[in-house]
Amino acid sequence: MNNKKMKNSLQRSLIRISIIIVIFISISEGALCFSIYRRDMISRYQNYAGDSINFLCRCIDVDDLEECMRTGVKSDKYLELQTLANDFKETHDLYFIYIIEPLKADPPDNMMDVFAAYTSWGKADGTDGLTDLGNYTGDAYPRDVALQYMNRMDTDTTVTYFRNDTDFGKIYTAIRPLINSKGEPVAVICGDILIDDIYQAAYAYAIATVIVTLIAGVLLIVALNRWYDRRIIRPIRSLENATGMIEDKCRRRAPVSELVMDDLNIHTHDEIESLSDSISSMVEDIRDYASDLVDKDKKLSDMQNKNSQLETLANRDSLTGIRNKTAYDNEIKSLEWNLKLGKTEFGIGVVDLNYLKIINDTYGHEKGNEAIKNICHIVCVIFAHSPVFRVGGDEFAIILKGQDLENIDSLIDKFNQELSDLANNKELSPWEAVSAAIGYATYDSDKDAGAINVFKRADNNMYENKKRMHAERT
């Protein structure tokens, strides 16, 4: 029963993947068709609007129009232009044709109407004829739209375009300045195209594309389902049954000689047939080498134990028993990786033993080693929650973490006080009353490119402390 459920699950998964791919392709193709259709139609309408206003510009006497704007009186040329523009709008697919003078950015009355073309039916229902020479526009143009018009009060006669969402719908405006004989911009002439219909047509085209693709996809899924069953599901069922029999023999601890897989008669000439042959070969290999595997596993276990011991020795300082420079370098690599993951809560402390050379030269290297072990013990006790490394002959590094990092200042004071108490104890030998300088730094993203930089700042702070101690003694 459980096997049956797994088989059906595989088939459903394949069908589900096919459905997802068909839906994805359908939606992607619809979105692509919508985008291409919309962009192409808008580009055509923009060029259409641009050609239209360029034509009208050639018919305008800008100096005469400027005089009309100044006096508020419509000249004969103005009236001729009105007639031409009205006829042009009647026969061309432009939503608005108008000339305005931008006065300022902020409403009200930031624009002055100069001219507008209208149609007979538009004037009858009130959509045209709402503007006239010298009228101010009140609040009709918000600041962001007004700036589009004001920016075209230049001497560049190239037609540009901008989008404006109005109460009438989505509009693309073609705009260019009108230049008088002195080379000065007087006003801007504009042609608006209503693109709602373009969007609706693009949506309809995209939906039709999606529907056709989905229908083709459904037919493809039906064909694929038959193909899946013949070329994938049935061979895998045979393979599963055969491997299940081998599994049952293994659980019963059957003799190795019984670990033989029957001929599955899978001849699909593809990866499944290759998989079947590989499994048959693998079963034979398991049967032939089962006894060897136990021996090899034991040898591998021994090697792993030895490697673990060698790794421990390689990362352990033989004198102090703490981790050595190799372990410290690995820890720095780990910190660098943590920085890439955003884990920045750490610091580094550096401790340098004083007078080691004097102790070695005066009392011998054995006493010098005692001094190293004594200062190591003090560092490990005080910084008990952070790993300590011996990174040089007389130098130790501390990776400050957790509560040691939070209480670093008090721990530094405790460390210095411990050394001060040793120094004041006259009964102690020089290798017992050890002296050391300490410095630390915490990670700062503004200063540190990585953990190595933190160590350098800590090392510098330690040497500054060493200089201060030397100055106090002299």
Side-chain angles (χ1 to χ4, degrees):
M1 186 69 179
N2 192 32
N3 287 341
K4 181 66 177 178
K5 181 178 180 181
M6 292 176 62
K7 295 169 188 175
N8 290 336
S9 177
L10 174 60
Q11 192 167 20
R12 286 198 302 269
S13 297
L14 292 172
I15 295 174
R16 189 180 299 115
I17 291 172
S18 301
I19 292 173
I20 291 173
I21 292 174
V22 168
I23 292 175
F24 175 77
I25 293 175
S26 299
I27 295 175
S28 300
E29 188 173 356
L32 181 63
C33 290
F34 172 82
S35 177
I36 294 174
Y37 184 91
R38 181 195 60 182
R39 184 173 62 249
D40 182 64
M41 292 304 297
I42 289 177
S43 176
R44 292 183 183 183
Y45 271 84
Q46 284 180 343
N47 293 334
Y48 176 77
D51 293 341
S52 298
I53 65 171
N54 279 331
F55 169 76
L56 290 174
C57 280
R58 292 192 292 269
C59 301
I60 297 174
D61 185 333
V62 179
D63 291 334
D64 179 76
L65 184 64
E66 183 180 19
E67 180 66 18
C68 294
M69 293 166 58
R70 186 182 66 81
T71 61
V73 178
K74 299 179 181 179
S75 66
D76 292 339
K77 290 183 178 181
Y78 182 98
L79 296 176
E80 290 175 1
L81 176 62
Q82 182 74 66
T83 301
L84 174 64
N86 290 347
D87 293 340
F88 193 88
K89 187 179 179 184
E90 290 275 7
T91 57
H92 290 72
D93 191 13
L94 287 176
Y95 195 65
F96 289 116
I97 301 173
Y98 56 98
I99 300 173
I100 58 174
E101 180 187 7
L103 302 176
K104 58 180 181 177
D106 296 317
D109 296 336
N110 50 352
M111 301 281 176
M112 185 184 81
D113 291 330
V114 178
F115 171 89
Y118 56 88
T119 59
S120 56
W121 59 267
K123 191 170 183 180
D125 65 11
T127 57
D128 284 342
L130 300 178
T131 61
D132 201 1
L133 177 63
N135 286 351
Y136 292 96
T137 57
D139 296 324
Y141 293 91
R143 176 182 175 81
D144 57 332
V145 177
L147 287 173
Q148 298 282 356
Y149 291 94
M150 293 188 69
N151 290 338
R152 285 315 322 267
M153 287 293 286
D154 52 28
T155 57
D156 182 6
T157 57
T158 303
V159 177
T160 58
Y161 307 89
F162 67 91
R163 176 173 166 169
N164 181 17
D165 293 340
T166 69
D167 295 337
F168 304 105
K170 296 180 180 66
I171 287 178
Y172 265 94
T173 298
I175 182 172
R176 61 163 286 180
L178 293 174
I179 310 299
N180 63 16
S181 59
K182 299 177 182 179
E184 300 169 342
V186 172
V188 291
I189 180 170
C190 308
D192 291 346
I193 16 173
L194 189 62
I195 60 172
D196 284 343
D197 292 340
I198 296 176
Y199 274 77
Q200 292 175 2
Y203 282 127
Y205 182 69
I207 290 172
T209 301
V210 170
I211 292 173
V212 171
T213 306
L214 285 174
I215 293 173
V218 169
L219 297 176
L220 177 62
I221 289 172
V222 172
L224 283 175
N225 186 37
R226 294 173 61 87
W227 186 87
Y228 289 153
D229 185 67
R230 185 177 69 256
R231 296 298 298 272
I232 298 177
I233 304 302
R234 292 179 187 174
I236 288 180
R237 285 174 183 169
S238 299
L239 188 59
E240 184 182 19
N241 291 333
T243 54
M245 293 176 62
I246 295 295
E247 180 184 12
D248 182 64
K249 292 176 182 179
C250 292
R251 287 178 177 176
R252 292 188 290 104
R253 299 294 188 269
V256 175
S257 58
E258 294 184 11
L259 298 180
V260 179
M261 194 164 69
D262 297 334
D263 184 12
L264 301 180
N265 196 29
I266 295 177
H267 304 292
T268 56
H269 306 292
D270 55 18
E271 289 83 354
I272 294 180
E273 181 178 354
S274 176
L275 176 63
S276 173
D277 295 340
S278 297
I279 292 177
S280 297
S281 177
M282 181 184 67
V283 171
E284 293 178 4
D285 292 340
I286 291 174
R287 182 190 59 202
D288 294 338
Y289 298 105
S291 59
D292 293 340
L293 288 177
V294 175
D295 182 57
K296 290 180 180 179
D297 182 67
K298 184 177 182 303
K299 291 181 180 179
L300 179 61
S301 178
D302 292 340
M303 291 178 61
Q304 288 175 338
N305 291 333
K306 291 180 181 179
N307 288 338
S308 178
Q309 294 173 2
L310 290 173
E311 184 178 358
T312 300
L313 292 174
N315 289 279
R316 188 70 59 184
D317 178 54
S318 59
L319 176 63
T320 61
I322 65 173
R323 283 178 276 186
N324 60 13
K325 182 64 164 57
T326 301
Y328 172 76
D329 291 338
N330 291 332
E331 186 71 15
I332 288 296
K333 292 177 182 178
S334 178
L335 289 175
E336 296 287 1
W337 178 255
N338 287 338
L339 285 176
K340 295 178 180 180
L341 300 177
K343 300 176 181 179
T344 61
E345 296 292 330
F346 76 93
I348 297 179
V350 178
V351 176
D352 190 79
L353 176 64
N354 295 327
Y355 313 124
L356 178 62
K357 186 176 186 306
I358 295 175
I359 295 173
N360 284 332
D361 294 343
T362 306
Y363 303 100
H365 285 277
E366 182 178 349
K367 299 304 181 182
N369 289 342
E370 289 295 323
I372 292 172
K373 289 191 285 186
N374 287 334
I375 192 63
C376 176
H377 176 73
I378 294 172
V379 173
C380 290
V381 170
I382 292 178
F383 298 94
H385 302 95
S386 298
V388 180
F389 305 83
R390 185 184 178 196
V391 295
D394 55 359
E395 190 172 26
F396 299 84
I398 312 160
I399 305 300
L400 299 168
K401 299 179 179 179
Q403 62 187 71
D404 284 357
L405 181 61
E406 296 174 2
N407 304 314
I408 181 61
D409 291 326
S410 63
L411 293 176
I412 293 289
D413 293 340
K414 184 177 179 181
F415 176 82
N416 290 328
Q417 184 61 47
E418 178 75 15
L419 297 187
S420 177
D421 293 343
L422 293 176
N424 292 330
N425 190 342
K426 304 304 181 181
E427 297 180 358
L428 297 177
S429 301
W431 56 87
E432 295 173 326
V434 289
S435 171
I438 188 170
Y440 80 95
T442 58
Y443 176 75
D444 185 341
S445 60
D446 294 331
K447 298 179 181 179
D448 302 314
I452 295 177
N453 297 88
V454 182
F455 175 83
K456 290 180 180 179
R457 291 198 296 114
D459 198 48
N460 291 336
N461 293 336
M462 181 274 293
Y463 276 108
E464 289 297 324
N465 188 22
K466 185 181 283 287
K467 291 178 183 177
R468 180 184 59 76
M469 294 173 68
H470 180 73
E472 290 176 354
R473 289 194 301 270
T474 57

